[in-house]
Each structure stands twice: as structure tokens, then as C-alpha cells.
Amino acid sequence: MLLLALLGLGGSVQSSAQGSAAPQTIRWPFSHLQLGLADAPGGAAGLVAAAPIGLRYQYLAGGVNTGKGWQTWNPGGTFVSDYIAESEAHHIVPVFSYYQIRQSLPGAGIADETSADLGNLDNQATMSAYYLDLKAFFVKAAHARGPVVLHLEPDLFGYIEQRSKSNDASTVPAAVASTGIAELRGLPDNAAGFAQAVLTLRRDYAPKVIVGYPISIWGTGKDIHLSHPSASEVDAMAAAAAAFYRSLHAGFDVTFTELTDRDAGYAQTVNGESGAWWKAVDFGHDLRFLRDFHRRVGRPIVMWQIPLGNTVSPVVNNTPYHYRDNKVQWFLAAGGRGHLEAFARAGVVALLFGGGQTQDTDTGEASGDGRPDDGGYFEARARAYYKAGPIPLDQTRSG
């Protein structure tokens, strides 16, 4: 399989916009467009046996001050190091979606997610615990032999962007230097300082860990799918998203984006969302947004948490764990290679598939009916993608 450049990260760095003493950006380790999948501990062997995919991902969640965070999941806080070791043993790159602020106290008890996230972000006690938790992650990840990817706080920056004035992250308060963490002394107590703090801790404790910034397709105040924007509106959204990113003054290595957080059939039947299904125009808008954002920012893009439902397998019938969707087909069906190539030209370097809701469609047997919940469709199409030859990446766009 294509586990490229595992040992070549150390010499492939570029200077951050913050200056020579600032954290450095790290090159994406693959030269071809990779597929990946949400995968729990113990699943790596079965994953690579089914298809030669390049990445697997796992949430780190539970909150930093609740007694339920990832450091409590395994004895001795070894969850991260164990997941990395298992991944490396099967020649696959581990990706961690670090989702801790929302589930930390006191915000965990607040229903409104914006208030919960931004309240925690500006709470000195919460953020002190947060940075120590993040430092613990980096200490564990520093022992990896090959690449490790940290996807930082999905959704958080979308809320910050919406709260900011004039797309300026420094206008949103955050506890950084005020937490008293020695490594963060001198950093501003605002959301830009928060981003810089994460990369400072990476620099100090795990300089080879790849850190990803989550692009928000709704952070501008318009959802790229639900608002049905015009082409000019999509361009304006991308320009605003890029301006906000630049206001962080933080050189992230890669960016992450998601199409949605649930199967369309789940959104339709459980949530009553009649417009949940993506059409060709929606994929076109997303492609245009990502291409425009990438041209302005220059960081490679990972598409993440792509729903696994399909409309092909009879078992996928809009019941729990068997909800329908069309995104796997859009990218991986026999006629989807052109779609993949278009997204690769726009700066996309990997597609990570997995549901964002407990009962979303899965490639395993979460339903307990003894067969793959998606009917085996994803694995078949992933094998076909690699058999046809993975798409080469333009190295000027992926570095």
C-alpha cells in the first residue's frame, strides 16, 4: 500500500508566517490521493485487509476536566500511543479528531453549542486543563515512528468566525497566556492566540505531528448547502473564510472540511430535513469553495467524516445503521473518478469516510445483523479505486 514518505517528514518543513522562531508547517506525507475510514481500536488489521487505504481516524473526546476524557480510556492514559502503535503495525497513518472543548465543563451542560464552546474557550480554569490535556497528547504522539495527524476541534472555528468582527479572530476572547501555562507566556488572550498556542505546544513536544485546521462551510453565516448560494456568493464565502484563517497568524499544516455530519437518509427520516440530499450543484459549490479557499491559503485539504450510506445495497434501507446517502457513490462509483480528480486539482489530498451520528451507516456490523451495515459497498469501491491506481497529487498543491 501507499504509506509514502513515513521517514521523510523531518526535512520537509516550511517557515510559518509568524517568523523563524514560530512553529513550522509539515508537508503532507502522501504523493497520491488517499482514502481513509473511521476505525475504532482493534480494527486496523481488518481495515487494511479489506482495502489498502492510507488513513484511519478516531475521535478524542470526553472533556478535559470531566474525568471522562481520552486519558481515562486506557490504563496509564495509553489510548493514543496504543492507537498509533496499532496503526503503524499495519502501515496506516492515524488521524485523531481532537474534540474536547465542547464536552468540557462548564460548557458541557449548556445546550447552545456556540455559547458552550466560546464560554469554555474564555474560561481560564477550563483552558488550563485543556492545554495540559493537549500537551499530554503531544507527548504520547511524539514517540510515533511515522506521521500522526491531529484534526483540531471540529466546529469550534466556525463559531469563532461567526462571533468575530470583520473576520478577525483576535476580536474573540480566549484564555491563553492568562492560564499561566509557561509555554504560552506572551501569547494573546484571544482566538488567534489559541491557534498559536496549539502550534506552540506541537513545536515544543511533538514537532513532527501534523496539525489540521477545520474549515467551516457555515462559519461565514451561510451554509454552502442549505443556503443554495450563487457562484459569486460561494466566491465571497471562500474569500471570507480565507481572511478569517489568515487572521489566526498560525501556520497549520493541513486543513479539514466536512460535507455534513450525518447520512442524508438519517437527516431526512430522523430529523425531518427534506433538503438533506446533495445534488450535483451542491458538490459543485463545495468544489468551488474549497478550490477558492485553497488558492488563497495554500494548505492541503482533507475531506473528513463523509457519510457511508449508499443507494445501491438493499440492506441500506433508512433504518438505524442503514441510512441512505449518495456521497460514497459520487466519489467512488464507477463514474466518479472525474469527481475525485476535480477535487484533487482543488487541493484535496485525502477523503476520510465515517458517520457523525451514533446510528449512521457503518462499514462494520454495528446493527448486529451479521453483515456490513453498508452492504460492503465502501470496501468494494475503495478496492476498485486503488486497483485502478490512486490519483497523483500535484506536489505544489499538497505541500
Side-chain angles (χ1 to χ4, degrees):
M1 67 168 293
L2 296 173
L3 188 62
L4 287 312
L6 277 180
L7 301 177
L9 291 178
S12 299
V13 296
Q14 300 170 340
S15 295
S16 164
Q18 297 174 55
S20 59
Q24 306 237 297
T25 55
I26 304 171
R27 287 187 64 87
W28 184 247
F30 295 101
S31 62
H32 291 73
L33 181 72
Q34 292 293 320
L35 306 182
L37 193 67
D39 188 50
L47 201 63
V48 298
I53 67 175
L55 307 105
R56 65 197 286 242
Y57 77 87
Q58 162 73 44
Y59 270 92
L60 297 181
V64 299
N65 54 6
T66 63
K68 299 177 181 179
W70 65 268
Q71 293 191 70
T72 70
W73 295 352
N74 280 18
T78 59
F79 183 88
V80 163
S81 49
D82 289 351
Y83 193 87
I84 291 172
E86 181 193 352
S87 301
E88 292 184 336
H90 294 89
H91 308 291
I92 191 165
V93 171
V95 179
F96 295 97
S97 290
Y98 190 84
Y99 185 69
Q100 288 281 64
I101 286 183
R102 175 65 181 102
Q103 297 182 347
S104 297
L105 297 171
I110 299 174
D112 177 58
E113 193 157 329
T114 302
S115 297
D117 270 16
L118 298 185
N120 278 349
L121 186 66
D122 195 30
N123 184 300
Q124 290 183 8
T126 301
M127 293 309 295
S128 178
Y130 181 92
Y131 297 125
L132 293 176
D133 189 81
L134 187 60
K135 176 180 172 179
F137 166 82
F138 285 132
V139 168
K140 296 290 186 184
H143 298 290
R145 298 190 304 273
V148 174
V149 182
L150 179 73
H151 171 206
L152 181 67
E153 294 295 343
D155 293 340
L156 173 65
F157 286 94
Y159 297 129
I160 296 172
E161 184 178 357
Q162 290 185 336
R163 182 66 61 87
S164 69
K165 299 176 182 177
S166 303
N167 285 326
D168 184 353
S170 71
T171 63
V172 178
V176 186
S178 62
T179 62
I181 302 294
E183 297 89 338
L184 310 184
R185 187 180 300 115
L187 292 178
D189 283 312
N190 56 48
F194 165 71
Q196 295 163 29
V198 171
L199 295 177
T200 296
L201 293 174
R202 187 276 301 271
R203 179 197 64 193
D204 291 349
Y205 294 101
K208 292 185 179 182
V209 167
I210 298 166
V211 181
Y213 165 82
I215 310 166
S216 176
I217 62 171
W218 45 263
T220 61
K222 289 186 177 181
D223 187 292
I224 203 167
H225 168 55
L226 297 178
S227 65
H228 304 293
S230 66
S232 60
E233 288 174 322
V234 171
D235 293 342
M237 291 167 66
F244 173 77
Y245 172 82
R246 288 194 295 268
S247 79
L248 296 171
H249 300 291
F252 287 91
D253 310 303
V254 65
T255 55
F256 278 69
T257 183
E258 63 178 324
L259 302 180
T260 182
D261 68 346
R262 64 201 68 193
D263 291 297
Y266 182 103
Q268 189 174 39
T269 61
V270 178
N271 303 130
E273 299 176 18
S274 59
W277 285 86
W278 278 49
K279 301 177 182 178
V281 65
D282 299 307
F283 289 103
H285 286 160
D286 194 65
L287 174 64
R288 187 182 186 103
F289 175 86
L290 295 179
R291 182 194 64 207
D292 289 356
F293 181 89
H294 183 266
R295 285 176 176 172
R296 290 175 167 87
V297 170
R299 297 289 82 214
I301 299 168
V302 175
M303 301 181 75
W304 167 81
Q305 201 166 258
I306 304 170
L308 282 159
N310 65 72
T311 64
V312 176
S313 304
V315 69
V316 184
N317 58 3
N318 277 348
T319 57
Y321 308 103
H322 302 296
Y323 290 103
R324 306 178 86 197
D325 205 292
N326 61 351
K327 297 180 182 68
V328 177
Q329 289 157 260
W330 181 265
F331 291 112
L332 298 182
R337 189 149 180 114
H339 299 155
L340 284 177
E341 291 171 343
F343 276 84
R345 289 193 298 271
V348 171
V349 297
L351 285 79
L352 307 186
F353 293 82
Q357 305 298 316
T358 303
Q359 293 189 339
D360 268 333
T361 303
D362 189 80
T363 60
E365 300 177 17
S367 63
D369 61 7
R371 54 188 174 178
D373 294 334
D374 74 334
Y377 184 77
F378 172 80
E379 290 183 357
R381 296 316 308 165
R383 286 195 300 270
Y385 167 74
Y386 283 104
K387 184 177 180 180
I391 295 169
L393 298 174
D394 180 348
Q395 294 304 299
T396 65
R397 291 177 177 266
S398 63

